[in-house]
Amino acid sequence: MTQHVADTAPAEAPAAAARREWWRDAVIYQVYPRSFADGDGDGMGDLPGIRARLPYLRDLGVDAVWLSPFYASPQADAGYDVADYRAIDPMFGTLTDADDLVRDAHALGLRVIVDVVPNHCSDQHEWFKQALREGPGSPLRDRFHFRPGKGTGGELPPNDWESIFGGPAWTRVTEPDGTPGQWYLHLFAPEQPDFNWEHPAVHDEFRSILRFWLDLGIDGFRIDVAHGLVKAAGLPDIGHDEQVKLLGTQAVPYFDQDGVHEIYRSWRRILEEYAGDRIAVAEAWTPTVERSALYLRPDELHQAFNFSYLTTGWDADGLRDVIDRSLRAMNAVHAPATWVLSNHDVVRHSTRLAADDGADGLRRARAATLLMLALPGSAYLYQGEELGLPEVVDLPDEVRQDPAFFRSSGQDGTRDGCRVPLPWSGQEPPFGFGPVEGGPSWLPQPAEWRELTVEAQQGDPDSTLEFYRGALAVRREHPALGAGTRITWLDSPEGVLAFRRDTGEGSFVCTVNLTAAPLAVPTPGTLLLASSDVVPGPDLTQLPRDCAVWWAV
């Protein structure tokens, strides 16, 4: 395949693309390629489809696009089982398509971040296939975690670790002579063997992979399972089951080991070889936000997802606590805080935050969005949240594809519900997802989404799409929004959050009523934007339930 490599530095298009340390206040939009836009009509989203919709993202007002995996893969886990890190899976297009997408994005002032998956690969990766062919003693087996089993005949796993997708984290192989043999570690599906990051060849390979994509012109990497690369010495037993329920809450010997930090120091040195302010973002589930901050010391990564924020419910005290802890932890390492409400692995927040019905959930989702976008730092949006899409909770079993759905324990297997393809236009599925009217989509869309298409919401001042566009425009223009390190909490009634942000060029107040009843709150200035209908009073303003307001002061 012919490679067309873009210039090393991103194109200097609109001013947003030229900002130094742009990532400190960036709004980054996650594209799940399978479900964003289908360019060839086969029912599966692809790179040409994404490329054609880039003007939509520019008009939405985001700064960067993060693409979930599009690499060559058997798709045992929706592309997170990578067979070739330097090739595009044919279902998504070609390397030329990727190059064209990056060039077009830069021309529109959008940066491009891509996933890199360093914890594990596919069992169809050439290293792993060769390790199986060559049998015990193969040097290739040292690049993974192959171990003899326990028991008299090696019939038991080497330790008690559990897969995130359920069941043991070990699979026994059949050796070339047909006998039962060694076991290999896979913290996820059996088709996803974990790399052994104690081996120098693994380090060398990923440094090469990073440079390959940086040379193509991408602006950064989102590091999948960034906390998982290094395992505790000796791979010790944990001593109990239900380990999956501990993820992100307690220490386990296969996650968040201190050895990961030297890996990321070496990656930071590579990023700094390239012009254009390239970045790396950690997906790191850690017991505390303070542990997450360790990934962001000045010589390591640039950002880490704030899962503590994402997993906090619609509760004023809980949100205030996680906001304070996040800002303290990030300020200690001079990194920006990040804020996120949804992604491809969790229930959409318009459904997750609902207490009573769908309208309740959307009302809270809009208020949560204004709160998130008002906080200092960088924000991540997941495709479709700007349309107010709910979780699809009634997918038939026969169409489900989440590997966890087919296993007896582990995750709930509900990730398909947030991955249903986007509705763009029309009255019937697939709602303009592909170029063929009435064509296929890899997961079925609800018929009621006809009211939520981009076409239906475009130009409607009351729509969630126009609400997002307005919020992102105000955030970009107001001098007290975006990057920053602190907020000042204001006195407010119980169940209300109110804070102020100040710069030398302007001040701003955000007020959020998280209660189930309207409340009178002080009117601190001029209303900029509200998530529900609000009529400001001269001294007091009646704030509806589940409503957020931005004020210029």
Side-chain angles (χ1 to χ4, degrees):
M1 181 182 298
T2 301
Q3 177 186 348
H4 298 275
V5 180
D7 294 336
T8 318
E12 296 294 333
R19 294 203 316 268
R20 294 295 298 169
E21 296 198 331
W22 59 275
W23 39 275
R24 289 191 173 274
D25 65 350
V27 176
I28 300 172
Y29 185 100
Q30 181 190 357
V31 166
Y32 190 68
R34 285 172 166 239
S35 302
F36 188 69
D38 172 16
D40 60 10
D42 66 354
M44 185 68 66
D46 49 37
L47 297 183
I50 298 168
R51 182 187 176 199
R53 299 290 188 176
L54 288 174
Y56 166 80
L57 298 179
R58 177 210 46 207
D59 295 344
L60 183 62
V62 301
D63 300 292
V65 182
W66 153 35
L67 304 176
S68 293
F70 47 66
Y71 307 110
S73 166
Q75 303 295 319
D77 183 24
Y80 284 93
D81 50 319
V82 181
D84 186 342
Y85 290 84
R86 298 175 182 82
I88 307 297
D89 195 282
M91 69 188 296
F92 296 125
T94 66
L95 197 59
T96 298
D97 292 326
D99 185 38
D100 289 342
L101 188 156
V102 172
R103 290 174 181 270
D104 282 5
H106 288 166
L108 292 169
L110 297 169
R111 296 180 186 261
V112 179
I113 296 169
V114 301
D115 255 302
V116 65
V117 188
N119 180 70
H120 50 263
C121 63
S122 166
D123 62 357
Q124 298 305 302
H125 190 285
E126 192 54 44
W127 283 5
F128 192 76
K129 291 195 297 181
Q130 186 176 343
L132 294 182
R133 289 195 302 267
E134 294 180 355
S138 166
L140 270 297
R141 293 203 176 190
D142 293 337
R143 301 180 186 185
F144 302 92
H145 293 277
F146 279 89
R147 296 289 188 276
K150 293 181 177 179
T152 55
E155 70 279 6
L156 300 176
N159 67 21
D160 66 358
W161 294 2
E162 296 174 353
S163 164
I164 307 305
F165 290 161
W170 296 89
T171 290
R172 196 175 192 185
V173 305
T174 300
E175 302 297 359
D177 63 2
T179 62
Q182 293 181 308
W183 298 70
Y184 68 89
L185 176 68
H186 53 85
L187 292 180
F188 294 85
E191 298 88 353
Q192 295 170 288
D194 278 43
F195 285 114
N196 175 16
W197 276 86
E198 301 297 322
H199 199 291
V202 177
H203 290 259
D204 292 343
E205 173 68 357
F206 274 90
R207 284 192 288 261
S208 173
I209 290 166
L210 296 183
R211 287 192 170 95
F212 178 88
W213 291 102
L214 290 167
D215 288 342
L216 193 104
I218 68 97
D219 301 282
F221 301 94
R222 176 265 191 184
I223 306 169
D224 184 62
V225 195
H227 55 304
L229 279 56
V230 174
K231 279 65 174 176
L235 309 185
D237 283 340
I238 295 177
H240 57 81
D241 57 10
E242 296 190 337
Q243 299 158 18
V244 172
K245 296 182 180 179
L246 301 178
L247 296 186
T249 61
Q250 295 184 28
V252 289
Y254 45 76
F255 280 161
D256 193 32
Q257 300 297 303
D258 289 339
V260 299
H261 297 290
E262 186 52 45
I263 296 169
Y264 298 134
R265 291 185 186 101
S266 72
W267 287 20
R268 179 64 175 255
R269 291 192 290 271
I270 292 172
L271 291 167
E272 290 181 351
E273 294 174 9
Y274 288 80
D277 223 9
R278 317 297 177 95
I279 71 166
V281 183
E283 182 212 26
W285 290 87
T286 64
T288 66
V289 69
E290 290 78 14
R291 288 291 299 182
S292 295
L294 296 180
Y295 291 74
L296 308 179
R297 288 172 286 196
D299 60 345
E300 293 190 42
L301 306 177
H302 299 77
Q303 291 184 347
F305 290 129
N306 191 342
F307 293 119
S308 296
Y309 186 77
L310 183 151
T311 55
T312 300
W314 190 241
D315 173 77
D317 291 339
L319 286 167
R320 177 166 177 164
D321 177 67
V322 74
I323 290 166
D324 283 342
R325 288 190 291 110
S326 299
L327 290 173
R328 280 197 304 268
M330 297 306 122
N331 289 343
V333 292
H334 306 289
T338 65
W339 315 100
V340 60
L341 293 167
S342 287
N343 64 35
H344 65 294
D345 283 333
V346 301
V347 173
R348 287 186 176 276
H349 65 277
S350 59
T351 297
R352 193 177 70 248
L353 298 178
D356 302 319
D357 54 38
D360 178 88
L362 181 58
R363 185 172 62 247
R364 289 184 174 182
R366 287 167 59 114
T369 297
L370 277 197
L371 170 59
M372 175 182 75
L373 293 175
L375 294 169
S378 179
Y380 282 78
L381 310 180
Y382 177 54
Q383 63 177 43
E385 69 174 78
E386 77 278 10
L387 302 177
L389 295 186
E391 185 84 359
V392 181
V393 298
D394 57 353
L395 288 169
D397 289 356
E398 61 270 19
V399 306
R400 303 285 289 275
Q401 299 195 31
D402 184 350
F405 177 74
F406 301 98
R407 299 173 72 86
S408 59
S409 59
Q411 292 184 344
D412 295 331
T414 56
R415 297 181 299 172
D416 292 321
C418 64
R419 300 176 177 183
V420 173
L422 295 193
W424 291 93
S425 61
Q427 296 296 305
E428 302 291 338
F431 298 118
F433 175 62
V436 181
E437 184 176 352
S441 63
W442 73 280
L443 285 173
Q445 302 150 305
E448 56 268 26
W449 278 14
R450 65 173 59 91
E451 306 296 332
L452 301 177
T453 66
V454 174
E455 181 182 60
Q457 297 193 45
Q458 186 106 11
D460 178 357
D462 296 324
S463 72
T464 301
L465 174 59
E466 296 299 343
F467 166 72
Y468 266 73
R469 287 176 173 171
L472 293 177
V474 173
R475 187 182 188 274
R476 183 182 294 267
E477 295 164 3
H478 197 286
L481 287 171
T485 59
R486 63 187 297 270
I487 60 176
T488 301
W489 293 106
L490 306 176
D491 291 338
S492 59
E494 184 176 354
V496 173
L497 293 178
F499 61 86
R500 181 181 178 118
R501 297 185 61 186
D502 296 286
T503 69
E505 300 177 11
S507 298
F508 164 92
V509 167
C510 177
T511 311
V512 190
N513 178 8
L514 292 96
T515 74
L519 288 173
V521 300
T523 303
T526 303
L527 187 146
L528 290 171
L529 190 66
S531 62
S532 303
D533 290 335
V534 171
V535 179
D539 300 309
L540 294 175
T541 293
Q542 193 78 358
L543 209 59
R545 60 180 293 196
D546 302 322
C547 176
V549 181
W550 287 359
W551 310 90
V553 180

